[in-house]
């Protein structure tokens, strides 16, 4: 997923993974609880992809993240890339 900073790339990717069954309800509930505790309740889906402490504290993607999952018919690999210009090099490499 590529796009400008703060356009919802990680959130969209995380929500898609959840809706397609790539992550279960207890895992989303755990992420939701952690996000609320940090005052970022709306970030639960973004945190499916954004695992680094710095990413969660700053609310931006710093490094690429990969998530692989399967449905009964297909295999998917979601790649979430940073949108901030300071971290574009992480996306390219």
């Amino acid at each position: 997923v590529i796009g400008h900073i703060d356009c919802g790339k990680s959130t969209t990717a995380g929500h898609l993974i959840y809706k397609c069954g790539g992550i279960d309800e207890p895992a989303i509930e755990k992420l939701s609880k952690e996000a609320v505790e940090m005052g970022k309740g709306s970030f639960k889906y973004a945190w499916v992809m954004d695992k680094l402490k710095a990413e969660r504290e700053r609310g931006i993607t710093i490094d690429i993240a990969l998530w692989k999952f399967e449905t009964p018919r297909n295999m998917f690999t979601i790649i979430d890339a940073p949108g901030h210009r300071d971290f574009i090099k992480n996306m390219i490499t």
Side-chain angles (χ1 to χ4, degrees):
V1 181
I2 298 174
H4 193 268
I5 189 169
D6 288 335
C7 71
K9 296 176 300 299
S10 297
T11 301
T12 300
H15 202 179
L16 177 66
I17 290 165
Y18 170 67
K19 288 291 191 180
C20 290
I23 189 168
D24 60 16
E25 186 68 32
I28 286 293
E29 300 244 351
K30 181 179 181 231
L31 290 172
S32 180
K33 182 181 174 194
E34 291 171 3
V36 168
E37 288 172 0
M38 287 187 66
K40 298 181 182 284
S42 65
F43 282 59
K44 68 180 178 184
Y45 294 117
W47 286 7
V48 170
M49 301 301 290
D50 293 341
K51 305 258 189 239
L52 299 176
K53 182 180 177 188
E55 290 177 318
R56 292 181 175 190
E57 288 173 349
R58 294 175 65 185
I60 62 171
T61 302
I62 295 172
D63 203 0
I64 65 161
L66 290 114
W67 189 284
K68 295 182 180 189
F69 69 98
E70 295 181 27
T71 66
R73 294 184 56 187
N74 299 299
M75 294 174 41
F76 296 93
T77 301
I78 305 289
I79 303 172
D80 183 33
H84 192 280
R85 67 179 177 191
D86 292 347
F87 304 114
I88 294 293
K89 64 180 173 51
N90 295 346
M91 173 186 61
I92 295 167
T93 59

